Amino acid sequence: PRARVAWIATLVSLLSSYPLLFTGFRDAMCSLLGVKTPDQFIPFAGLSLSLLAVPVLLAIVVPDVGFVVSLMGASLGAALILVVPSLIGRRVLADKDCAKGERGAMRLVAAFGVLVGLFGTTVTVLETYTDLLS
């Protein structure tokens, strides 16, 4: 009985959170691609369907969901923690607003984040598909 309650809770969570996340993502993609939602129904519908089709096709093709989660954590985790804040800082702060060497340090942190992401992605792939790290 507890397992069924957990399954139902997971189902309710997915059914209620996915539309909220998808709507924000779709609206951001429409803005990025210049699709005006009320005026251009066909491009809007095509974009919505393609954004829904990609995860469904990936779920059908990729047999191991754990690999996808590990890969996303390895690559996007480093980007979100190290690379993106450094790039935002470099973009927002002008040369006159920074202490000496601060923009260079941000560049160094971003480069380190890229290296960490590549290393994590490589380790994830090697652990999943080879016995090299076992």
Side-chain angles (χ1 to χ4, degrees):
R2 290 184 197 170
R4 290 211 176 165
V5 171
W7 289 343
I8 291 170
T10 302
L11 177 67
V12 169
S13 172
L14 289 173
L15 289 177
S16 61
S17 66
Y18 189 76
L20 293 173
L21 296 171
F22 178 75
T23 302
F25 179 60
R26 182 194 59 205
D27 291 346
M29 290 301 292
C30 285
S31 175
L32 181 69
L33 298 174
V35 175
K36 294 181 175 42
T37 52
D39 300 335
Q40 302 172 334
F41 178 74
I42 299 296
F44 176 73
L47 180 65
S48 297
L49 288 175
S50 63
L51 290 176
L52 285 171
V54 168
V56 169
L57 291 174
L58 280 175
I60 292 170
V61 171
V62 176
D64 186 11
V65 176
F67 171 69
V68 175
V69 172
S70 298
L71 194 62
M72 296 298 283
S75 57
L76 296 179
L80 191 61
I81 293 169
L82 297 169
V83 177
V84 172
S86 298
L87 295 178
I88 290 172
R90 285 184 49 82
R91 181 72 137 178
V92 170
L93 297 175
D95 285 332
K96 61 183 177 189
D97 296 333
C98 293
K100 187 175 182 180
E102 191 173 1
R103 289 176 64 85
M106 285 187 239
R107 180 180 291 161
L108 189 64
V109 169
F112 178 69
V114 170
L115 289 175
V116 168
L118 289 172
F119 180 73
T121 302
T122 303
V123 168
T124 300
V125 170
L126 289 175
E127 280 184 341
T128 303
Y129 293 111
T130 68
D131 292 331
L132 189 63
L133 300 178
S134 296

